[in-house]
Amino acid sequence: MEKAVLITIGDEILSGNTVDTNSNFIASELKAIGIKVIQILTISDEIETIKETLKSAFETGDLVITTGGLGPTRDDKTKKALAEFFDDEIELDEATFEHLRRYMEKRGRIEILERNREQAFVPKKSTVFQNHYGTAPCMMMEQQGKLSFSLPGVPYEVKPLVRDQIVPYLKERFSLNHIVSRIVSVVGIPESILADTIEGWELALPAHITLSYLPVGTRVKMRLTATGAVEELLNRQLEQEIQKLFPIIGDHIIATSEDKIEKILAELLDEKGMTISTAESCTGGELAKMLTSNSGSSKYYMGGMISYATEKKTEILKVSQKTIDEYTVVSAEVAQEMAAGCRELFRTDIALSTTGVAGPGKGEDGKAVGTVFYTIRIREREETSRLFLPHLDRLDFMHFVSQKILQDLVSLLISA
Amino acid sequence: MEKAVLITIGDEILSGNTVDTNSNFIASELKAIGIKVIQILTISDEIETIKETLKSAFETGDLVITTGGLGPTRDDKTKKALAEFFDDEIELDEATFEHLRRYMEKRGRIEILERNREQAFVPKKSTVFQNHYGTAPCMMMEQQGKLSFSLPGVPYEVKPLVRDQIVPYLKERFSLNHIVSRIVSVVGIPESILADTIEGWELALPAHITLSYLPVGTRVKMRLTATGAVEELLNRQLEQEIQKLFPIIGDHIIATSEDKIEKILAELLDEKGMTISTAESCTGGELAKMLTSNSGSSKYYMGGMISYATEKKTEILKVSQKTIDEYTVVSAEVAQEMAAGCRELFRTDIALSTTGVAGPGKGEDGKAVGTVFYTIRIREREETSRLFLPHLDRLDFMHFVSQKILQDLVSLLISA
């Protein structure tokens, strides 16, 4: 199997200012065509460092993909390092310059700066893949059957370059093995007990199928990966192994194909022909965002309300002022009335609500940071829960709570 | 200055299934105390690979932090690699076992499985930092004045371990240099023209101050980083350099202290005493989430509406059916009426609205995927814009649009 090394070049990642999402995208695209990423490196934007890293990457991998360090500014040094490493010279590539000229013209920039012109200079031996969403081209170099691709660092430019140009090129060029994965989502059983329970099953897995665990909130994802020449056969084998799990832990399995909770839920809602709406306070839109991140969500998601100010809970969601006075805004009672009001407002089968204190500052009513009440209302049935998560920072809190609600809803829908 | 290498151990990252957010968090925490991360590596969960990587990491860094590979399941191998690398043996640590027993007891797990007990086994020479949010302890090893810390991989466990235990320990132990950063946010000028315009200023920067560029959507962030012994002096020097930028590109600068657009906006709204609300269609809650991700947002953010179904736009936001029939749902006219209705509903100074097609499927009214109209309404004043972003995937689209709206709003508030 072809092995790949990904190199991210940029001090923005090393300084903790930016999260590297490119490597995740590239690794997942490569995996889908049977190329295994064996290492991901983030290094500093210095010529010597880049050259040394390229050297060690080519020792272990057949394919090296670098991102970053190709912008028009002084702090970008990838291209020089590339030319030096491959003992090559940099020269103006006419086709790339023409592409760049037209790209900028379309954006109303008639005059090309020297600095932009420099971006059309590439190593002589390189094959250029034109960038349709930015000014830095992608350059491919080849040495003894091994390949390197150098891409800019902007994710919006990386994605189309990889998806539309590099992946098709690699598929054409190599006869690749297939890698197929399935994720089994399990709830209500801690990782250690799960591992003990299925130990016999795990040890009996064929050698070309591997298992890994990933705890996500209160769910454990079991990933089964099979590698081989015939995709259809791999799919069949994975399905067989998953079926064997049901007699052992069937009660805990909530999904065996989709991975993300919002997709698992989408399938269930579609199957049952149910619609859903949200009324959020402390999750501030994250719950809605998770639901709508699934394409096709407009079929079942009717809308949501973010009632950040307390009076919006009474005015729009019809939570009674008496309930608020009696139990405070952050209470099971208010969560229940929010869900009921939300279901009325959007006329859906299901309504979800959250009210809590995301912190770091305390809520008005003195409830401790990290407290949240949420209600899942399915028609006339209702379930309200409380979580206390003082150790999570604001964004993690919003995400954890939203994940948990969707997971609980999935469990309820499955058991219903 | 102390140099650090971060090692992420786990096939979940290499396979593209999970984004590595731990490294970002750790790098940013270390930077704040003057420790420079020089390399971030993600490697496979194999004993030999882990040992080799530890070796090369100790050659270049003074401090090595690993995350992952410490769970109770069969696929985790970090601890074995650690013991072999440091020529040590693994034995049961009583204090750790006691901590673990109490941790599990608190969670209602009276009986401790053999598998969990294994987690209290650590290398003899290690110093243990107890994990209060999970079952895998953090182990510190020391060799010739160099340190390694091995942490579990779950972000919710990594954050408190680093923030509350490792960082205080490192601060105590080393007399560290300070690293101070400031971010200058610039809009309305492409990166290449910006770089040309400020070239003289950049070349005149003192040697201990470095500059890097990071384009984010249509904004360019310039990050200035100063390193030295006296924090206060560094702050003053950065301020001086930033002040020199104003005569050159002052018109384009939207912020010089806060980095995130939602924080820049928070300062402006606070200064002007204005409130804000949102009415979203195609951004599906992302805009609300960005606003509420800022702690203290309840001061100015009154709430929002996600009107995913068309009829909710008419019912709740009072968009007229006539406008929808005449111009379709995805139109400047509907965006305008949504903003006006939202401002009424939430009684805020400012209202933001979005309507568009996030894709990948086409919208009902046949508008092309990637089309979005958005309105910024500030009291009686209003600005509606259109974007066409067919190359962005669904989540990127939602995020890009939300970023752009907040950025436009900042520009409007500054120029007002």
Side-chain angles (χ1 to χ4, degrees), chain A residues 34-221:
Chain A
I35 295 174
K36 186 175 180 164
V37 173
I38 53 164
Q39 200 176 39
I40 301 173
L41 294 116
T42 304
I43 56 169
S44 168
D45 198 350
E46 291 156 353
I47 294 182
E48 283 312 309
T49 308
I50 300 173
K51 279 163 65 182
E52 274 167 35
T53 310
L54 281 173
K55 185 162 174 285
S56 73
F58 272 117
E59 277 163 16
T60 49
D62 312 297
L63 171 67
V64 176
I65 298 185
T66 75
T67 52
L70 292 177
T73 49
R74 198 164 291 276
D75 61 330
D76 289 328
K77 302 189 182 76
T78 304
K79 211 183 293 183
K80 263 184 228 143
L82 212 56
E84 286 184 23
F85 178 76
F86 286 101
D87 197 16
D88 199 0
E89 278 160 41
I90 290 176
E91 61 171 23
L92 182 78
D93 182 62
E94 286 299 339
T96 303
F97 182 68
E98 184 52 27
H99 173 84
L100 184 65
R101 206 188 51 69
R102 265 180 287 137
Y103 174 86
M104 297 189 72
E105 203 176 77
K106 258 167 91 178
R107 276 151 191 81
R109 303 256 307 273
I110 305 301
E111 190 206 354
I112 309 265
L113 295 174
E114 181 56 33
R115 215 181 267 281
N116 285 122
R117 196 167 162 269
E118 268 174 34
Q119 297 200 285
F121 279 76
V122 299
K124 265 181 171 173
K125 301 177 196 161
S126 68
T127 307
V128 173
F129 292 77
Q130 300 300 350
N131 179 351
H132 299 290
Y133 302 102
T135 54
C138 165
M139 296 157 291
M140 182 182 82
M141 304 292 284
E142 187 162 358
Q143 200 170 52
Q144 296 164 335
K146 295 188 173 193
L147 296 178
S148 81
F149 291 85
S150 297
L151 287 77
V154 181
Y156 303 137
E157 301 174 24
V158 167
K159 285 186 184 178
L161 273 169
V162 170
R163 200 179 41 215
D164 306 337
Q165 299 193 60
I166 297 176
V167 161
Y169 178 87
L170 292 172
K171 270 167 86 172
E172 177 108 329
R173 170 134 181 182
F174 300 107
S175 54
L176 300 162
N177 233 334
H178 290 276
I179 304 183
V180 179
S181 275
R182 286 278 294 275
I183 298 215
V184 179
S185 287
V186 172
V187 297
I189 181 169
E191 188 183 352
S192 53
I193 296 180
L194 173 66
D196 263 7
T197 314
I198 61 169
E199 191 168 26
W201 171 87
E202 181 179 351
L203 291 171
L205 284 175
H208 71 293
I209 297 184
T210 59
L211 171 71
S212 65
Y213 294 85
L214 183 73
V216 180
T218 54
R219 174 165 58 122
V220 180
K221 292 192 203 176

Side-chain angles (χ1 to χ4, degrees), chain A residues 12 17 24 40 42 74 115 159 196 199 223 284 286 289 292 303-304 306 309 315 347 393-394 396, chain B residues 12 16-17 40 42 74 115 159 196 199 212 223 284 286 289 292 302-304 306 315 347 394 396:
Chain A
E12 284 297 309
N17 196 44
N24 176 259
I40 301 173
T42 304
R74 198 164 291 276
R115 215 181 267 281
K159 285 186 184 178
D196 263 7
E199 191 168 26
R223 171 197 276 275
E286 172 72 6
K289 192 214 156 171
T292 60
I306 297 134
E315 284 174 22
R347 291 197 294 274
D393 66 26
R394 195 172 173 85
D396 286 346
Chain B
E12 284 296 310
N17 196 43
I40 301 173
T42 303
R74 199 163 290 278
R115 216 181 266 279
K159 286 186 183 178
D196 263 8
E199 191 169 28
S212 65
R223 171 197 277 272
E286 171 73 3
K289 191 215 156 171
T292 59
M302 293 301 111
I306 298 134
E315 283 173 22
R347 290 195 297 273
R394 194 172 174 86
D396 286 346

Side-chain angles (χ1 to χ4, degrees), chain B residues 31-293:
Chain B
K31 199 196 153 174
I33 56 166
I35 296 174
K36 188 175 176 164
V37 172
I38 54 165
Q39 201 176 38
I40 301 173
L41 294 117
T42 303
I43 58 169
S44 168
D45 197 350
E46 291 157 353
I47 293 182
E48 283 312 310
T49 309
I50 299 174
K51 279 164 64 183
E52 275 167 34
T53 311
L54 281 172
K55 185 160 175 287
S56 72
F58 271 118
E59 277 163 16
T60 51
D62 311 298
L63 172 67
V64 176
I65 298 185
T66 75
T67 52
L70 292 177
T73 47
R74 199 163 290 278
D75 62 332
D76 288 328
K77 302 187 182 76
T78 303
K79 210 183 295 182
K80 262 183 230 144
L82 212 56
E84 288 185 21
F85 178 75
F86 285 101
D87 198 15
D88 199 0
E89 276 160 42
I90 290 177
E91 61 172 24
L92 182 77
D93 182 60
E94 286 298 339
T96 303
F97 182 67
E98 184 52 27
H99 174 84
L100 184 66
R101 205 190 50 73
R102 265 180 289 137
Y103 175 87
M104 296 188 73
E105 202 177 76
K106 259 166 90 178
R107 277 152 190 79
R109 303 257 305 274
I110 305 300
E111 190 206 354
I112 309 266
L113 295 175
E114 181 57 32
R115 216 181 266 279
N116 284 122
R117 194 164 164 272
E118 268 173 36
Q119 296 200 288
F121 278 76
V122 298
K124 267 181 171 173
K125 301 177 198 162
S126 68
T127 308
V128 173
F129 291 78
Q130 301 299 351
N131 179 352
H132 299 289
Y133 302 102
T135 53
C138 164
M139 297 156 289
M140 182 181 82
M141 304 292 283
E142 187 160 359
Q143 200 170 54
Q144 297 164 338
K146 296 189 172 193
L147 297 178
S148 81
F149 292 85
S150 296
L151 286 76
V154 181
Y156 302 136
E157 302 175 23
V158 167
K159 286 186 183 178
L161 273 169
V162 170
R163 200 178 43 212
D164 306 336
Q165 299 194 61
I166 297 176
V167 161
Y169 178 86
L170 293 172
K171 270 169 85 173
E172 177 110 330
R173 169 136 184 179
F174 300 107
S175 55
L176 299 161
N177 235 334
H178 290 277
I179 305 182
V180 179
S181 275
R182 287 279 294 275
I183 298 214
V184 179
S185 287
V186 173
V187 296
I189 181 170
E191 187 183 353
S192 53
I193 295 179
L194 172 66
D196 263 8
T197 312
I198 62 168
E199 191 169 28
W201 171 87
E202 180 180 351
L203 292 172
L205 284 175
H208 70 295
I209 298 183
T210 59
L211 172 71
S212 65
Y213 294 85
L214 182 73
V216 181
T218 54
R219 174 166 57 123
V220 180
K221 292 193 202 176
M222 295 165 52
R223 171 197 277 272
L224 281 162
T225 305
T227 314
V230 187
E231 192 173 4
E232 205 206 318
L233 182 68
L234 298 176
N235 281 323
R236 213 159 49 226
Q237 289 168 334
L238 283 181
E239 180 60 30
Q240 281 165 4
E241 296 303 333
I242 289 170
Q243 286 310 321
K244 291 183 202 158
L245 274 175
F246 277 88
I248 319 172
I249 49 159
D251 288 355
H252 298 286
I253 295 175
I254 58 167
T256 65
S257 50
E258 288 299 353
D259 161 6
K260 296 214 160 96
I261 196 76
E262 54 271 28
K263 288 198 183 270
I264 299 173
L265 179 63
E267 285 194 351
L268 279 168
L269 293 175
D270 187 47
E271 195 184 303
K272 293 178 188 278
M274 288 173 121
T275 56
I276 189 168
S277 58
T278 52
E280 302 178 66
S281 184
C282 62
T283 48
E286 171 73 3
L287 188 54
K289 191 215 156 171
M290 281 185 70
L291 284 164
T292 59
S293 71

